[in-house]
């Protein structure tokens, strides 16, 4: 079985432990897993605000177990994992904002690095686990401002606390794989994805959620770096890749126990200004202005992933061109504004993606 069809039976009845399930990506992932018939246990902090994807789409109703707790609490994490007896662990819990990492570097490092250590320690003591996937970011690479994509064997780095801590999480996963799981035990892989868009992201200091809030308030969105380029993709694209990779790990394919990039086609590596102009086709009321304030927090101006490995080894392919991803994102927020049944609407988008 290849592509989406490879997932048809891979997760039916599987016990899956997801950290970060109350977040934007985690909530979408739980609904994806529920569609595939998995029995999901979630472990995360409470949603960071209201509204949230987790709340609007009633994601909690799909879970076998639901823990509101911190990955920095090793005892609680280990107890929850042991109780769930998962076959697969998907680790998404993180402090995921670059600028917030400057404001609170200690929490960023402790969550992203020690949180990953705690997850891997918990699964060491949980004999049911057969595979684990640690989700990091495209920003884990030492940014050389190259016009070509980073590959999985390029140097890790990152000057800001978020990026560097995610590089640290990659090193933790590699260390555990080499030190404790090289001969036996669960197969461990890492996944590095580009910038995601999609309905249900309400995080502060992210482009589309900030644009939605600006429109709701009748103002113009302040934009710091309109010419900065990012590998934009709909959130379901990397989640599909994560599940393809996890399915291979569950099947015992040790060759897949490594790092994988999941980024869009080169044509969808767009500037912030270009993405906003495309959004304006769906949201004519969207206005933006250059933010002239000087910020101490520096962000990379150019970033692009080479996802050839995932395409070749996992048969992962981009299913929605960015134009469709933008359309689906705009439609989701419009439906939420109209107070529609967002669980049903989200599942319809997921069904459309999987068709």
């Amino acid at each position: 079985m290849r592509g989406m069809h490879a997932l048809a039976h891979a997760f039916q009845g599987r016990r899956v432990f997801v950290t970060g399930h109350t977040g934007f990506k985690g909530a979408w992932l739980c609904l994806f897993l529920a569609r595939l018939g998995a029995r999901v246990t979630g472990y995360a902090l409470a949603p960071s605000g209201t509204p949230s994807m987790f709340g609007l789409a009633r994601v909690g109703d799909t879970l076998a177990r639901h823990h509101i707790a911190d990955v920095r609490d090793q005892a609680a994490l280990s107890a929850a994992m042991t109780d769930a007896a998962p076959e697969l662990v998907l680790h998404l819990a993180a402090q995921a904002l670059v600028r917030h990492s400057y404001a609170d570097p200690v929490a960023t490092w402790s969550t992203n690095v020690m949180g990953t250590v705690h997850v891997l320690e918990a699964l060491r003591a949980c004999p049911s686990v057969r595979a684990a996937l640690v989700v990091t970011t495209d920003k884990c690479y030492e940014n050389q401002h190259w016009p070509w994509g980073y590959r999985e064997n390029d140097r890790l780095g990152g000057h800001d606390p978020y990026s560097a801590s995610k590089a640290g999480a990659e090193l933790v996963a590699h260390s555990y794989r080499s030190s404790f799981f090289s001969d036996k035990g669960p197969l461990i892989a890492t996944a590095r994805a580009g910038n995601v868009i999609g309905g249900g992201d309400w995080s502060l200091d992210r482009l589309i959620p900030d644009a939605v809030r600006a429109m709701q308030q009748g103002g113009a969105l302040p934009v710091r770096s309109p010419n900065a380029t990012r590998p934009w993709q709909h959130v379901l694209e990397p989640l599909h890749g994560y599940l393809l990779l996890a399915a291979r790990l569950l099947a015992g394919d040790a060759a897949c126990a490594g790092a994988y990039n999941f980024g869009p086609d080169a044509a969808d590596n767009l500037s912030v200004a270009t993405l906003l102009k495309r959004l304006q086709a769906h949201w004519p009321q969207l206005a933006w202005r250059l933010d002239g304030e000087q910020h101490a927090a520096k962000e990379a101006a150019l970033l692009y992933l080479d996802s050839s490995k995932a395409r070749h080894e996992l048969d992962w392919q981009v299913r929605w061109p960015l134009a469709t991803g933008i359309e689906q994102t705009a439609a989701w927020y419009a439906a939420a504004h109209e107070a529609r049944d967002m669980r049903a609407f989200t599942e319809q988008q997921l069904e459309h993606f999987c068709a």
Side-chain angles (χ1 to χ4, degrees):
M1 295 186 294
R2 298 175 67 82
M4 186 65 71
H5 297 293
L7 302 180
H9 304 290
F11 291 96
Q12 182 65 44
R14 294 281 195 182
R15 299 182 308 278
V16 182
F17 191 92
V18 178
T19 72
H21 70 292
T22 59
F24 167 53
K25 288 178 75 174
W28 273 101
L29 179 60
C30 287
L31 292 178
F32 207 150
L33 286 164
R35 181 184 183 277
L36 297 172
R39 297 169 54 196
V40 179
T41 295
Y43 184 101
L45 297 175
S48 58
T50 302
S52 71
M53 170 69 177
F54 184 82
L56 287 177
R58 305 190 304 280
V59 177
D61 295 345
T62 71
L63 301 175
R65 293 178 176 86
H66 171 51
H67 300 275
I68 296 298
D70 197 320
V71 291
R72 291 173 291 184
D73 186 338
Q74 185 173 0
L77 176 61
S78 184
M81 191 180 296
T82 299
D83 182 59
E87 300 162 86
L88 171 67
V89 174
L90 300 172
H91 176 40
L92 281 74
Q95 192 302 98
L97 299 174
V98 172
R99 293 223 297 161
H100 183 74
S101 76
Y102 284 95
D104 196 348
V106 173
T108 299
W109 280 97
S110 60
T111 299
N112 294 352
V113 175
M114 290 309 299
T116 301
V117 171
H118 292 164
V119 168
L120 296 178
E121 276 294 299
L123 69 86
R124 280 185 70 198
C126 190
S128 63
V129 179
R130 298 172 54 187
L133 179 63
V134 175
V135 174
T136 64
T137 175
D138 58 346
K139 298 174 183 65
C140 70
Y141 293 106
E142 183 175 295
N143 197 308
Q144 304 292 331
H145 305 286
W146 290 328
W148 56 84
Y150 292 87
R151 294 185 176 182
E152 289 82 354
N153 57 356
D154 281 325
R155 184 172 178 175
L156 300 177
H159 64 268
D160 62 85
Y162 168 71
S163 302
S165 68
K166 282 298 196 173
E170 286 279 350
L171 293 174
V172 167
H174 177 77
S175 172
Y176 269 75
R177 183 167 53 238
S178 301
S179 299
F180 304 113
F181 307 126
S182 59
D183 297 323
K184 61 179 181 178
L187 298 175
I188 312 295
T190 62
R192 306 161 182 176
N195 287 43
V196 294
I197 64 172
D201 187 1
W202 299 100
S203 301
L204 295 174
D205 206 28
R206 279 195 183 139
L207 185 65
I208 291 181
D210 286 349
V212 172
R213 282 185 284 268
M215 287 189 295
Q216 291 173 340
Q217 296 164 7
L221 170 69
V223 176
R224 297 188 301 273
S225 305
N227 296 320
T229 64
R230 292 291 183 269
W232 309 99
Q233 59 188 331
H234 191 274
V235 62
L236 288 174
E237 302 289 0
L239 295 184
H240 175 215
Y242 301 167
L243 292 176
L244 287 173
L245 177 53
R248 293 281 289 275
L249 297 173
L250 281 170
D253 190 345
C256 291
Y260 285 82
N261 288 339
F262 296 98
D265 295 333
D268 290 335
N269 197 55
L270 304 180
S271 71
V272 169
T274 301
L275 180 68
L276 288 171
K277 289 175 183 176
R278 294 192 182 187
L279 274 169
Q280 284 176 319
H282 303 280
W283 294 334
Q285 68 274 35
L286 173 61
W288 59 275
R289 60 176 173 78
L290 185 64
D291 185 358
E293 181 182 351
Q294 296 298 311
H295 297 280
K298 302 298 183 183
E299 299 180 68
L302 180 63
L303 194 60
Y304 174 49
L305 290 177
D306 184 331
S307 302
S308 301
K309 181 181 177 183
R311 291 184 173 89
H312 176 70
E313 296 185 7
L314 305 176
D315 196 32
W316 176 74
Q317 301 291 335
V318 173
R319 299 181 67 83
W320 279 350
L322 185 58
T324 302
I326 292 171
E327 177 186 17
Q328 295 292 312
T329 300
W332 197 100
Y333 285 106
H337 182 70
E338 295 165 4
R340 295 175 61 178
D341 182 340
M342 294 313 297
R343 169 73 173 279
F345 192 87
T346 303
E347 290 181 337
Q348 287 172 6
Q349 289 198 335
L350 181 56
E351 197 70 28
H352 175 39
F353 179 83
C354 294

